[in-house]
Amino acid sequence: MNKPSDDELVAAVASGDEAACRALMDRHLTRMLALARRMLGNHADAEEVAQEVFLRVWTHAGRWEPGKAQFGTWLHRVATNLCLDRLRRRRGTEDIDAIPEPASGEPGPDRQLEQRELAARVEAALQNLPERQRAAIVLSHYQGLGNIEAADILGVTVEAVESLLSRARRQLRVALATEKDELLRSREISA
Amino acid sequence: MRNEMTLERLREIVEAYGASPARWPQGERSMAEALASSSPEAQSLVAEAARFDALLDMAPAEEPSAALTERLMAARPRAVAPLVPARPQKEKGFLRGLLETVWPYGSAAFPAGTLAAALVMGVALGSASDISLSLTGTAVTASTETETGEGLIALAMADQVWPEEWMQ
């Protein structure tokens, strides 16, 4: 039996179908949470955004027009905008201690890197990117969206998306130069 | 869309989108893949980008908590049962069709009932005033002048004796 499309699930959600609500969450909630986590840098804020996204789905399901837009793209747009709004508000009341420290670098040559520590450094480097660059790399690299879809969500041209991505990866490469070598070394050791 | 893929363009693509062809621009993907599989220099570019992608993939992301899922399920839309169950449409008869033409605002029972009540009230009022006027000598003349203003005044004056009669 074919899986119901997103449009079919949304229509069932609007009529109060519990199974459809659960199926739509199973399909998209983890991805929305991952997007928000990479944009905001902490799990609690990411859960709040993911919750807000789905509350909007519950509210607007009855007005969803099948075929007019991709439901997944709409979800990404809502989640991205909620994250950008939150980051703008955060900027006004920024606590300097809340900004993740950039990767410290220069660990000892014989140091075995903990995976968790490496992950934290990557996250810190991501959080230090300008917001638009971060949104572009989150949508393209982490969420796997095409350049046209990412451009649509960010309200820019595909050329602008490519430029945002190039700058983001360049900055990340500089920030994570040590980590890349360490990752390679740790892989060689474990291999 | 470009008609050819150069190493320089492939470098731009890889530096922006990473090593996975699935993320490359759709219009250039097949040409870029062809170059990446045929040129050792291109292969080196892609391999380097793949190592960096692996590092980026380490950024943490957890599964949704059970509490989040429960909150969302609690807030989900509910099916609303209709307050009045819908009744199947019946075949309209000639009389019902005629009634609906005259009174298209729903059930004709209300205007019909109002009309019947008005008729009853009219008959009752007419017969009651006859009785009262016959019992009160001062207002006898009113029975012959009901169309005039004086007749109405006499009728109003006659009203005053009704309660006493009802009490007997």
Side-chain angles (χ1 to χ4, degrees), chain A residues 13 15-16 18 22 25 30 33 37-38 43 47 51 54-55 58 115 118-119 122 140-142 147 162 165-166 169 172-173 180 184, chain B residues 9 15-18 23 25 48-49 51-65 68-69 71-73 75-77 79:
Chain A
V13 163
S15 65
E18 183 180 347
R22 209 170 278 283
M25 278 168 49
T30 304
L33 187 63
R37 173 63 195 256
R38 268 83 186 239
H43 186 67
E47 283 222 336
Q51 176 173 308
F54 271 83
L55 288 179
W58 296 165
Q115 295 284 302
L118 203 50
V122 175
S140 172
H141 180 82
Y142 292 105
N147 56 348
E162 190 168 312
L165 287 171
S166 297
R169 284 177 75 98
L172 287 171
R173 263 198 304 274
K180 199 174 84 172
L184 284 175
Chain B
R9 177 56 191 153
E15 284 181 355
Y17 300 97
R23 296 184 183 112
E48 171 68 15
R51 282 192 289 275
F52 190 60
D53 285 350
L55 182 65
L56 292 183
D57 287 340
M58 297 187 79
E62 290 91 352
E63 287 292 308
S65 67
L68 172 62
T69 310
R71 282 199 300 276
L72 285 171
M73 284 309 287
R76 72 186 165 79

Short mmCIF file of all heavy atoms in Angstrom, two decimals, chain A residues 13 15-16 18 22 25 30 33 37-38 43 47 51 54-55 58 115 118-119 122 140-142 147 162 165-166 169 172-173 180 184, chain B residues 9 15-18 23 25 48-49 51-65 68-69 71-73 75-77 79:
data_model
loop_
_atom_site.label_atom_id
_atom_site.label_comp_id
_atom_site.label_asym_id
_atom_site.label_seq_id
_atom_site.Cartn_x
_atom_site.Cartn_y
_atom_site.Cartn_z
N VAL A 13 -5.29 15.63 9.03
CA VAL A 13 -5.02 16.35 10.28
C VAL A 13 -6.11 17.40 10.51
O VAL A 13 -6.62 17.54 11.62
CB VAL A 13 -3.62 17.04 10.21
CG1 VAL A 13 -3.48 18.11 11.29
CG2 VAL A 13 -2.51 16.01 10.36
N SER A 15 -9.10 17.32 9.71
CA SER A 15 -10.37 16.73 10.14
C SER A 15 -10.23 16.03 11.50
O SER A 15 -11.14 15.34 11.94
CB SER A 15 -10.90 15.75 9.08
OG SER A 15 -10.01 14.67 8.96
N GLY A 16 -9.08 16.20 12.14
CA GLY A 16 -8.90 15.68 13.50
C GLY A 16 -8.45 14.23 13.57
O GLY A 16 -8.65 13.58 14.59
N GLU A 18 -6.20 11.47 14.40
CA GLU A 18 -5.06 11.32 15.31
C GLU A 18 -3.88 10.61 14.65
O GLU A 18 -2.72 11.03 14.79
CB GLU A 18 -5.49 10.55 16.56
CG GLU A 18 -4.38 10.43 17.58
CD GLU A 18 -4.80 9.66 18.83
OE1 GLU A 18 -6.02 9.45 19.00
OE2 GLU A 18 -3.92 9.29 19.60
N ARG A 22 0.08 11.91 14.02
CA ARG A 22 1.26 11.16 14.44
C ARG A 22 2.16 10.86 13.24
O ARG A 22 3.39 11.00 13.32
CB ARG A 22 0.82 9.85 15.12
CG ARG A 22 1.79 9.36 16.16
CD ARG A 22 1.19 8.23 16.96
NE ARG A 22 0.31 8.66 18.03
CZ ARG A 22 0.73 9.16 19.19
NH1 ARG A 22 2.02 9.31 19.42
NH2 ARG A 22 -0.14 9.51 20.11
N MET A 25 4.06 13.94 12.16
CA MET A 25 5.15 14.22 13.11
C MET A 25 6.30 13.23 12.91
O MET A 25 7.47 13.62 12.93
CB MET A 25 4.63 14.14 14.55
CG MET A 25 3.93 15.42 14.98
SD MET A 25 3.00 15.26 16.51
CE MET A 25 4.16 14.50 17.58
N THR A 30 11.56 15.25 13.50
CA THR A 30 13.00 15.10 13.75
C THR A 30 13.81 16.06 12.87
O THR A 30 14.77 16.67 13.32
CB THR A 30 13.44 13.64 13.51
OG1 THR A 30 12.64 12.80 14.34
CG2 THR A 30 14.90 13.43 13.86
N LEU A 33 13.45 19.60 14.11
CA LEU A 33 14.23 19.75 15.34
C LEU A 33 15.72 19.88 15.01
O LEU A 33 16.43 20.72 15.59
CB LEU A 33 13.99 18.54 16.25
CG LEU A 33 14.59 18.60 17.64
CD1 LEU A 33 13.99 19.74 18.44
CD2 LEU A 33 14.36 17.28 18.38
N ARG A 37 18.10 22.97 15.84
CA ARG A 37 19.27 22.73 16.68
C ARG A 37 20.53 23.33 16.04
O ARG A 37 21.35 23.97 16.69
CB ARG A 37 19.45 21.22 16.90
CG ARG A 37 20.73 20.82 17.62
CD ARG A 37 20.76 21.40 19.02
NE ARG A 37 22.08 21.35 19.61
CZ ARG A 37 22.46 20.47 20.53
NH1 ARG A 37 21.62 19.56 20.95
NH2 ARG A 37 23.66 20.50 21.02
N ARG A 38 20.69 23.12 14.74
CA ARG A 38 21.88 23.65 14.06
C ARG A 38 21.81 25.16 13.92
O ARG A 38 22.83 25.83 13.91
CB ARG A 38 22.03 23.02 12.68
CG ARG A 38 22.89 21.76 12.63
CD ARG A 38 22.13 20.51 13.02
NE ARG A 38 22.93 19.32 13.12
CZ ARG A 38 22.73 18.21 12.40
NH1 ARG A 38 21.76 18.17 11.51
NH2 ARG A 38 23.47 17.16 12.59
N HIS A 43 19.39 22.38 22.46
CA HIS A 43 18.25 21.48 22.26
C HIS A 43 16.93 22.09 22.77
O HIS A 43 15.88 21.92 22.13
CB HIS A 43 18.53 20.15 22.97
CG HIS A 43 17.50 19.10 22.70
ND1 HIS A 43 17.31 18.55 21.46
CD2 HIS A 43 16.59 18.51 23.52
CE1 HIS A 43 16.33 17.66 21.52
NE2 HIS A 43 15.87 17.62 22.76
N GLU A 47 13.64 22.59 20.51
CA GLU A 47 12.34 21.94 20.77
C GLU A 47 11.21 22.98 20.76
O GLU A 47 10.11 22.70 20.27
CB GLU A 47 12.36 21.19 22.10
CG GLU A 47 13.11 19.86 22.02
CD GLU A 47 12.41 18.73 22.77
OE1 GLU A 47 11.65 19.02 23.71
OE2 GLU A 47 12.64 17.56 22.41
N GLN A 51 8.17 22.80 18.18
CA GLN A 51 6.79 22.80 18.69
C GLN A 51 5.96 23.90 18.01
O GLN A 51 4.83 23.66 17.58
CB GLN A 51 6.82 23.03 20.21
CG GLN A 51 5.43 23.14 20.83
CD GLN A 51 5.49 23.19 22.34
OE1 GLN A 51 6.10 22.34 22.96
NE2 GLN A 51 4.86 24.18 22.93
N PHE A 54 4.92 22.93 14.49
CA PHE A 54 3.81 21.98 14.40
C PHE A 54 2.50 22.56 14.92
O PHE A 54 1.42 22.20 14.43
CB PHE A 54 4.17 20.65 15.08
CG PHE A 54 4.82 19.72 14.10
CD1 PHE A 54 6.17 19.83 13.82
CD2 PHE A 54 4.08 18.80 13.38
CE1 PHE A 54 6.77 19.02 12.87
CE2 PHE A 54 4.66 17.99 12.43
CZ PHE A 54 6.02 18.10 12.17
N LEU A 55 2.58 23.48 15.87
CA LEU A 55 1.33 24.14 16.30
C LEU A 55 0.75 24.93 15.13
O LEU A 55 -0.47 25.02 14.96
CB LEU A 55 1.60 25.06 17.50
CG LEU A 55 1.89 24.33 18.81
CD1 LEU A 55 2.16 25.33 19.93
CD2 LEU A 55 0.75 23.41 19.23
N TRP A 58 -0.99 22.48 12.89
CA TRP A 58 -2.31 22.13 13.44
C TRP A 58 -3.31 23.27 13.13
O TRP A 58 -4.44 23.03 12.77
CB TRP A 58 -2.27 21.93 14.94
CG TRP A 58 -1.45 20.81 15.53
CD1 TRP A 58 -1.11 20.71 16.85
CD2 TRP A 58 -0.90 19.63 14.91
NE1 TRP A 58 -0.37 19.57 17.07
CE2 TRP A 58 -0.23 18.88 15.91
CE3 TRP A 58 -0.89 19.14 13.61
CZ2 TRP A 58 0.43 17.69 15.64
CZ3 TRP A 58 -0.24 17.95 13.35
CH2 TRP A 58 0.40 17.24 14.34
N GLN A 115 34.58 12.04 20.63
CA GLN A 115 33.62 12.41 19.58
C GLN A 115 32.73 13.56 20.04
O GLN A 115 32.41 14.46 19.26
CB GLN A 115 32.74 11.20 19.24
CG GLN A 115 33.47 10.04 18.62
CD GLN A 115 33.81 10.31 17.17
OE1 GLN A 115 32.93 10.56 16.37
NE2 GLN A 115 35.08 10.25 16.83
N LEU A 118 34.52 16.91 19.79
CA LEU A 118 34.63 17.32 18.39
C LEU A 118 33.30 17.89 17.89
O LEU A 118 33.25 18.92 17.22
CB LEU A 118 35.05 16.11 17.55
CG LEU A 118 35.74 16.35 16.22
CD1 LEU A 118 36.89 17.32 16.34
CD2 LEU A 118 36.23 15.02 15.65
N ALA A 119 32.24 17.19 18.28
CA ALA A 119 30.90 17.64 17.88
C ALA A 119 30.61 19.03 18.45
O ALA A 119 30.05 19.89 17.76
CB ALA A 119 29.85 16.64 18.37
N VAL A 122 32.39 21.65 16.41
CA VAL A 122 31.71 21.91 15.13
C VAL A 122 30.49 22.79 15.37
O VAL A 122 30.23 23.75 14.64
CB VAL A 122 31.31 20.59 14.43
CG1 VAL A 122 30.52 20.86 13.16
CG2 VAL A 122 32.54 19.76 14.10
N SER A 140 21.15 23.58 3.07
CA SER A 140 21.77 22.81 1.99
C SER A 140 22.48 21.57 2.52
O SER A 140 22.16 20.45 2.10
CB SER A 140 22.78 23.71 1.25
OG SER A 140 23.53 22.95 0.34
N HIS A 141 23.42 21.74 3.44
CA HIS A 141 24.22 20.59 3.88
C HIS A 141 23.43 19.67 4.82
O HIS A 141 23.38 18.46 4.60
CB HIS A 141 25.50 21.05 4.58
CG HIS A 141 26.34 19.90 5.04
ND1 HIS A 141 27.19 19.22 4.20
CD2 HIS A 141 26.42 19.27 6.24
CE1 HIS A 141 27.76 18.24 4.87
NE2 HIS A 141 27.32 18.24 6.11
N TYR A 142 22.84 20.24 5.86
CA TYR A 142 22.21 19.40 6.90
C TYR A 142 20.81 18.91 6.50
O TYR A 142 20.45 17.79 6.78
CB TYR A 142 22.16 20.14 8.23
CG TYR A 142 23.54 20.33 8.83
CD1 TYR A 142 24.16 21.57 8.79
CD2 TYR A 142 24.23 19.27 9.40
CE1 TYR A 142 25.43 21.75 9.32
CE2 TYR A 142 25.50 19.43 9.93
CZ TYR A 142 26.10 20.68 9.89
OH TYR A 142 27.36 20.84 10.40
N ASN A 147 19.43 23.92 -4.28
CA ASN A 147 19.72 25.35 -4.23
C ASN A 147 18.48 26.20 -4.54
O ASN A 147 18.31 27.29 -3.99
CB ASN A 147 20.89 25.72 -5.15
CG ASN A 147 20.67 25.30 -6.59
OD1 ASN A 147 19.75 24.54 -6.88
ND2 ASN A 147 21.50 25.77 -7.49
N GLU A 162 24.52 30.28 -3.38
CA GLU A 162 25.85 29.69 -3.60
C GLU A 162 26.94 30.54 -2.94
O GLU A 162 27.89 30.01 -2.34
CB GLU A 162 26.11 29.56 -5.11
CG GLU A 162 27.35 28.74 -5.40
CD GLU A 162 27.47 28.34 -6.86
OE1 GLU A 162 26.47 27.86 -7.43
OE2 GLU A 162 28.57 28.50 -7.43
N LEU A 165 26.81 29.97 0.78
CA LEU A 165 27.38 28.65 1.11
C LEU A 165 28.90 28.66 1.02
O LEU A 165 29.58 28.11 1.89
CB LEU A 165 26.81 27.59 0.16
CG LEU A 165 25.36 27.17 0.39
CD1 LEU A 165 24.87 26.28 -0.75
CD2 LEU A 165 25.23 26.44 1.72
N SER A 166 29.43 29.29 -0.03
CA SER A 166 30.90 29.35 -0.20
C SER A 166 31.54 30.06 0.97
O SER A 166 32.55 29.58 1.53
CB SER A 166 31.26 30.10 -1.48
OG SER A 166 30.78 29.41 -2.58
N ARG A 169 31.28 27.86 4.24
CA ARG A 169 32.22 26.74 4.29
C ARG A 169 33.67 27.22 4.43
O ARG A 169 34.48 26.59 5.11
CB ARG A 169 32.05 25.85 3.04
CG ARG A 169 30.81 24.96 3.11
CD ARG A 169 30.64 24.15 1.85
NE ARG A 169 31.58 23.05 1.79
CZ ARG A 169 31.29 21.80 2.14
NH1 ARG A 169 30.07 21.50 2.57
NH2 ARG A 169 32.19 20.85 2.04
N LEU A 172 34.08 28.10 8.03
CA LEU A 172 34.10 26.87 8.84
C LEU A 172 35.43 26.13 8.67
O LEU A 172 35.96 25.57 9.63
CB LEU A 172 32.93 25.97 8.45
CG LEU A 172 31.53 26.42 8.91
CD1 LEU A 172 30.45 25.56 8.28
CD2 LEU A 172 31.42 26.36 10.44
N ARG A 173 35.93 26.13 7.44
CA ARG A 173 37.22 25.43 7.19
C ARG A 173 38.33 26.06 8.01
O ARG A 173 39.16 25.37 8.59
CB ARG A 173 37.57 25.47 5.70
CG ARG A 173 37.17 24.21 4.95
CD ARG A 173 37.89 24.08 3.62
NE ARG A 173 37.67 25.23 2.76
CZ ARG A 173 36.64 25.37 1.94
NH1 ARG A 173 35.72 24.41 1.88
NH2 ARG A 173 36.51 26.43 1.20
N LYS A 180 39.71 19.20 11.68
CA LYS A 180 39.71 18.32 10.52
C LYS A 180 40.91 17.37 10.58
O LYS A 180 40.78 16.17 10.35
CB LYS A 180 39.74 19.14 9.23
CG LYS A 180 39.27 18.35 8.02
CD LYS A 180 39.19 19.20 6.80
CE LYS A 180 40.54 19.31 6.14
NZ LYS A 180 40.53 19.98 4.84
N LEU A 184 40.80 13.30 11.10
CA LEU A 184 41.51 12.37 10.22
C LEU A 184 42.43 11.45 11.01
O LEU A 184 42.46 10.24 10.79
CB LEU A 184 42.34 13.16 9.18
CG LEU A 184 41.54 13.77 8.02
CD1 LEU A 184 42.46 14.61 7.15
CD2 LEU A 184 40.91 12.66 7.19
N ARG B 9 34.91 25.46 -12.37
CA ARG B 9 33.49 25.48 -11.97
C ARG B 9 33.21 24.35 -10.97
O ARG B 9 32.48 24.54 -10.01
CB ARG B 9 32.59 25.37 -13.21
CG ARG B 9 31.10 25.32 -12.92
CD ARG B 9 30.62 26.51 -12.11
NE ARG B 9 29.25 26.33 -11.62
CZ ARG B 9 28.76 26.91 -10.53
NH1 ARG B 9 29.51 27.72 -9.81
NH2 ARG B 9 27.53 26.69 -10.17
N GLU B 15 33.13 23.65 -3.33
CA GLU B 15 33.40 24.55 -2.20
C GLU B 15 32.13 25.15 -1.61
O GLU B 15 32.12 25.59 -0.47
CB GLU B 15 34.38 25.66 -2.63
CG GLU B 15 35.80 25.14 -2.75
CD GLU B 15 36.81 26.20 -3.16
OE1 GLU B 15 36.38 27.34 -3.45
OE2 GLU B 15 38.01 25.89 -3.20
N ALA B 16 31.07 25.19 -2.41
CA ALA B 16 29.79 25.72 -1.90
C ALA B 16 28.90 24.60 -1.37
O ALA B 16 28.32 24.71 -0.28
CB ALA B 16 29.07 26.48 -3.00
N TYR B 17 28.78 23.53 -2.14
CA TYR B 17 27.76 22.50 -1.82
C TYR B 17 28.34 21.24 -1.19
O TYR B 17 27.60 20.36 -0.77
CB TYR B 17 26.99 22.12 -3.09
CG TYR B 17 26.26 23.29 -3.72
CD1 TYR B 17 26.83 24.00 -4.79
CD2 TYR B 17 25.02 23.70 -3.25
CE1 TYR B 17 26.18 25.08 -5.36
CE2 TYR B 17 24.35 24.78 -3.82
CZ TYR B 17 24.94 25.46 -4.87
OH TYR B 17 24.28 26.54 -5.43
N GLY B 18 29.65 21.10 -1.17
CA GLY B 18 30.25 19.91 -0.60
C GLY B 18 30.42 18.80 -1.62
O GLY B 18 30.25 19.00 -2.83
N ARG B 23 23.57 17.30 -3.65
CA ARG B 23 23.40 18.70 -3.24
C ARG B 23 23.84 19.67 -4.34
O ARG B 23 23.65 20.88 -4.20
CB ARG B 23 24.23 18.98 -1.97
CG ARG B 23 23.77 18.19 -0.77
CD ARG B 23 24.58 18.60 0.47
NE ARG B 23 24.21 17.81 1.62
CZ ARG B 23 25.01 16.91 2.23
NH1 ARG B 23 26.21 16.68 1.76
NH2 ARG B 23 24.58 16.24 3.27
N PRO B 25 23.93 21.78 -7.91
CA PRO B 25 22.83 22.33 -8.73
C PRO B 25 22.38 21.32 -9.78
O PRO B 25 23.22 20.72 -10.48
CB PRO B 25 23.46 23.57 -9.38
CG PRO B 25 24.58 23.95 -8.45
CD PRO B 25 25.09 22.68 -7.88
N GLU B 48 38.56 15.70 -0.82
CA GLU B 48 38.87 16.68 0.23
C GLU B 48 37.57 17.25 0.81
O GLU B 48 37.42 17.39 2.04
CB GLU B 48 39.72 17.80 -0.40
CG GLU B 48 39.96 19.02 0.47
CD GLU B 48 40.85 18.71 1.68
OE1 GLU B 48 41.50 17.66 1.67
OE2 GLU B 48 40.87 19.53 2.62
N ALA B 49 36.63 17.57 -0.05
CA ALA B 49 35.33 18.10 0.40
C ALA B 49 34.58 17.05 1.22
O ALA B 49 33.89 17.39 2.19
CB ALA B 49 34.50 18.54 -0.80
N ARG B 51 35.84 14.82 3.21
CA ARG B 51 36.40 14.80 4.57
C ARG B 51 35.83 15.94 5.40
O ARG B 51 35.51 15.77 6.58
CB ARG B 51 37.94 14.88 4.51
CG ARG B 51 38.60 13.56 4.15
CD ARG B 51 40.09 13.59 4.38
NE ARG B 51 40.80 14.43 3.41
CZ ARG B 51 41.20 14.02 2.21
NH1 ARG B 51 40.95 12.77 1.82
NH2 ARG B 51 41.84 14.82 1.39
N PHE B 52 35.70 17.08 4.77
CA PHE B 52 35.15 18.23 5.51
C PHE B 52 33.65 18.02 5.80
O PHE B 52 33.16 18.36 6.89
CB PHE B 52 35.37 19.51 4.70
CG PHE B 52 35.05 20.75 5.48
CD1 PHE B 52 35.74 21.04 6.65
CD2 PHE B 52 34.07 21.63 5.07
CE1 PHE B 52 35.45 22.17 7.39
CE2 PHE B 52 33.77 22.76 5.80
CZ PHE B 52 34.47 23.04 6.96
N ASP B 53 32.94 17.41 4.86
CA ASP B 53 31.52 17.09 5.08
C ASP B 53 31.36 16.18 6.30
O ASP B 53 30.45 16.35 7.12
CB ASP B 53 30.92 16.37 3.86
CG ASP B 53 30.65 17.32 2.70
OD1 ASP B 53 30.74 18.55 2.90
OD2 ASP B 53 30.36 16.82 1.59
N ALA B 54 32.27 15.20 6.42
CA ALA B 54 32.20 14.25 7.54
C ALA B 54 32.37 14.98 8.86
O ALA B 54 31.71 14.65 9.85
CB ALA B 54 33.27 13.17 7.37
N LEU B 55 33.24 15.97 8.86
CA LEU B 55 33.44 16.77 10.08
C LEU B 55 32.17 17.57 10.40
O LEU B 55 31.71 17.60 11.54
CB LEU B 55 34.64 17.70 9.89
CG LEU B 55 35.01 18.56 11.09
CD1 LEU B 55 35.48 17.70 12.27
CD2 LEU B 55 36.10 19.57 10.71
N LEU B 56 31.60 18.21 9.38
CA LEU B 56 30.36 19.00 9.59
C LEU B 56 29.23 18.12 10.11
O LEU B 56 28.41 18.55 10.92
CB LEU B 56 29.93 19.68 8.29
CG LEU B 56 30.82 20.79 7.74
CD1 LEU B 56 30.19 21.39 6.49
CD2 LEU B 56 31.06 21.87 8.78
N ASP B 57 29.20 16.87 9.62
CA ASP B 57 28.12 15.96 10.03
C ASP B 57 28.16 15.62 11.51
O ASP B 57 27.20 15.04 12.04
CB ASP B 57 28.19 14.66 9.20
CG ASP B 57 27.74 14.88 7.77
OD1 ASP B 57 27.04 15.89 7.53
OD2 ASP B 57 28.10 14.07 6.89
N MET B 58 29.24 15.98 12.17
CA MET B 58 29.34 15.66 13.61
C MET B 58 28.54 16.64 14.47
O MET B 58 28.36 16.39 15.66
CB MET B 58 30.80 15.68 14.05
CG MET B 58 31.61 14.60 13.34
SD MET B 58 33.25 14.49 14.01
CE MET B 58 32.93 13.56 15.50
N ALA B 59 28.08 17.75 13.90
CA ALA B 59 27.28 18.71 14.69
C ALA B 59 26.09 17.99 15.28
O ALA B 59 25.35 17.30 14.56
CB ALA B 59 26.82 19.86 13.80
N PRO B 60 25.89 18.10 16.59
CA PRO B 60 24.87 17.26 17.24
C PRO B 60 23.43 17.65 16.88
O PRO B 60 23.14 18.80 16.60
CB PRO B 60 25.12 17.50 18.73
CG PRO B 60 25.85 18.79 18.81
CD PRO B 60 26.59 18.96 17.53
N ALA B 61 22.58 16.65 16.88
CA ALA B 61 21.13 16.86 16.74
C ALA B 61 20.46 15.66 17.39
O ALA B 61 20.74 14.52 17.02
CB ALA B 61 20.74 16.97 15.28
N GLU B 62 19.62 15.93 18.39
CA GLU B 62 18.97 14.83 19.11
C GLU B 62 17.60 14.51 18.52
O GLU B 62 17.05 15.27 17.74
CB GLU B 62 18.80 15.19 20.59
CG GLU B 62 20.10 15.25 21.36
CD GLU B 62 20.71 16.65 21.37
OE1 GLU B 62 20.17 17.52 20.63
OE2 GLU B 62 21.71 16.87 22.06
N GLU B 63 17.07 13.40 18.98
CA GLU B 63 15.69 13.01 18.63
C GLU B 63 14.73 13.88 19.44
O GLU B 63 15.08 14.37 20.52
CB GLU B 63 15.46 11.54 18.98
CG GLU B 63 16.16 10.56 18.06
CD GLU B 63 15.57 10.57 16.66
OE1 GLU B 63 14.34 10.43 16.52
OE2 GLU B 63 16.35 10.72 15.70
N PRO B 64 13.51 14.08 18.97
CA PRO B 64 12.52 14.82 19.77
C PRO B 64 12.24 14.10 21.09
O PRO B 64 12.20 12.87 21.11
CB PRO B 64 11.27 14.85 18.90
CG PRO B 64 11.63 14.25 17.60
CD PRO B 64 12.97 13.62 17.70
N SER B 65 12.07 14.86 22.16
CA SER B 65 11.77 14.24 23.45
C SER B 65 10.34 13.71 23.46
O SER B 65 9.49 14.19 22.68
CB SER B 65 11.94 15.26 24.58
OG SER B 65 10.96 16.26 24.46
N LEU B 68 7.87 16.50 24.15
CA LEU B 68 7.50 17.34 22.99
C LEU B 68 6.40 16.66 22.18
O LEU B 68 5.40 17.27 21.80
CB LEU B 68 8.74 17.61 22.12
CG LEU B 68 8.47 18.32 20.79
CD1 LEU B 68 7.88 19.71 20.99
CD2 LEU B 68 9.75 18.41 19.94
N THR B 69 6.61 15.37 21.92
CA THR B 69 5.62 14.62 21.14
C THR B 69 4.26 14.62 21.85
O THR B 69 3.22 14.82 21.22
CB THR B 69 6.11 13.17 20.94
OG1 THR B 69 7.45 13.22 20.45
CG2 THR B 69 5.26 12.44 19.93
N ARG B 71 3.13 16.83 24.06
CA ARG B 71 2.54 18.19 24.03
C ARG B 71 1.86 18.44 22.69
O ARG B 71 0.76 18.97 22.62
CB ARG B 71 3.63 19.25 24.25
CG ARG B 71 4.06 19.43 25.69
CD ARG B 71 4.76 20.77 25.88
NE ARG B 71 5.95 20.94 25.07
CZ ARG B 71 7.17 20.49 25.39
NH1 ARG B 71 7.35 19.82 26.51
NH2 ARG B 71 8.21 20.70 24.61
N LEU B 72 2.55 18.02 21.62
CA LEU B 72 1.98 18.27 20.29
C LEU B 72 0.72 17.43 20.06
O LEU B 72 -0.24 17.91 19.46
CB LEU B 72 3.03 18.00 19.21
CG LEU B 72 4.09 19.09 19.09
CD1 LEU B 72 5.22 18.66 18.16
CD2 LEU B 72 3.49 20.39 18.59
N MET B 73 0.75 16.19 20.52
CA MET B 73 -0.45 15.35 20.34
C MET B 73 -1.62 15.90 21.16
O MET B 73 -2.77 15.83 20.74
CB MET B 73 -0.15 13.90 20.73
CG MET B 73 0.67 13.14 19.70
SD MET B 73 0.02 13.23 18.01
CE MET B 73 -1.41 12.16 18.14
N ALA B 75 -2.18 18.98 21.70
CA ALA B 75 -2.67 20.22 21.08
C ALA B 75 -3.21 20.01 19.68
O ALA B 75 -3.62 20.97 19.02
CB ALA B 75 -1.52 21.23 21.03
N ARG B 76 -3.25 18.74 19.22
CA ARG B 76 -3.64 18.48 17.84
C ARG B 76 -5.11 18.85 17.60
O ARG B 76 -5.89 18.92 18.56
CB ARG B 76 -3.40 17.01 17.49
CG ARG B 76 -4.38 16.09 18.14
CD ARG B 76 -4.06 14.63 17.91
NE ARG B 76 -4.80 13.81 18.83
CZ ARG B 76 -6.08 13.48 18.68
NH1 ARG B 76 -6.74 13.92 17.64
NH2 ARG B 76 -6.68 12.74 19.57
N PRO B 77 -5.48 19.09 16.33
CA PRO B 77 -6.89 19.39 16.04
C PRO B 77 -7.78 18.18 16.37
O PRO B 77 -7.35 17.04 16.24
CB PRO B 77 -6.91 19.65 14.53
CG PRO B 77 -5.49 19.82 14.13
CD PRO B 77 -4.65 19.09 15.12
N ALA B 79 -11.64 16.22 15.95
CA ALA B 79 -12.83 16.16 15.10
C ALA B 79 -13.99 16.76 15.88
O ALA B 79 -14.19 16.44 17.04
CB ALA B 79 -13.13 14.71 14.74
#
